[in-house]
Amino acid sequence: LEISPVQARAGWAVGWKKATFWGKDALTAERAEGPKRLNWGLLATGRGIPRSDCEVKGSDGAALGQVTSGTFSPTLKQGIALALLGPTVKEGDEVIIDVRGHDLAAMVVKPPFVQVQVRES
């Protein structure tokens, strides 16, 4: 699976102000037009563990994208995943992950999944 820094929400790591770099024209164009897909977090609301390459569908069954990685979160005690999803998907949307022929309900979230609290010493 190919993914650009714009799609991965890693545009902060790109030297946009540099005069030139490999792929600058393509990245600049994608940034201006908006990416055709975007990296989102998926938080399973049903029982199951999403895995790489699982298809993500809307409630109407329309294909929205693909899981890039998934696992069980021991902290959250539920399945989580990262997925490349189309531009119509928004935070809070409910989606279905096809896990080996079984539908797994999930909610679209913006990573990180767990908020880190810093303790002052």
Side-chain angles (χ1 to χ4, degrees):
L1 231 121
E2 292 183 13
I3 181 170
S4 75
V6 176
Q7 295 170 7
R9 297 180 189 265
W12 55 269
V14 176
W16 297 107
K17 294 180 183 176
K18 287 188 175 183
T20 186
F21 58 84
W22 185 263
K24 182 176 183 176
D25 294 340
L27 284 178
T28 303
E30 182 180 40
R31 186 172 152 190
E33 295 169 12
K36 293 186 179 8
R37 57 191 186 160
L38 198 55
N39 188 42
W40 283 103
L42 300 177
L43 189 60
T45 55
R47 287 185 51 139
I49 301 170
R51 298 292 184 198
S52 295
D53 302 323
C54 290
E55 181 182 28
V56 180
K57 306 178 284 189
S59 57
D60 61 355
L64 298 175
Q66 184 177 10
V67 172
T68 58
S69 64
T71 192
F72 177 77
S73 167
T75 302
L76 298 173
K77 297 184 178 22
Q78 62 193 115
I80 60 173
L82 293 174
L84 287 173
L85 304 175
T88 60
V89 177
K90 304 289 180 238
E91 187 173 9
D93 284 357
E94 293 182 12
V95 296
I96 304 295
I97 305 169
D98 182 351
V99 182
R100 299 183 186 120
H102 298 284
D103 288 348
L104 173 60
M107 179 176 291
V108 176
V109 297
K110 192 171 180 182
F113 294 97
V114 177
Q115 300 300 320
V116 178
Q117 293 188 4
V118 177
R119 287 193 272 164
E120 294 183 31
S121 43

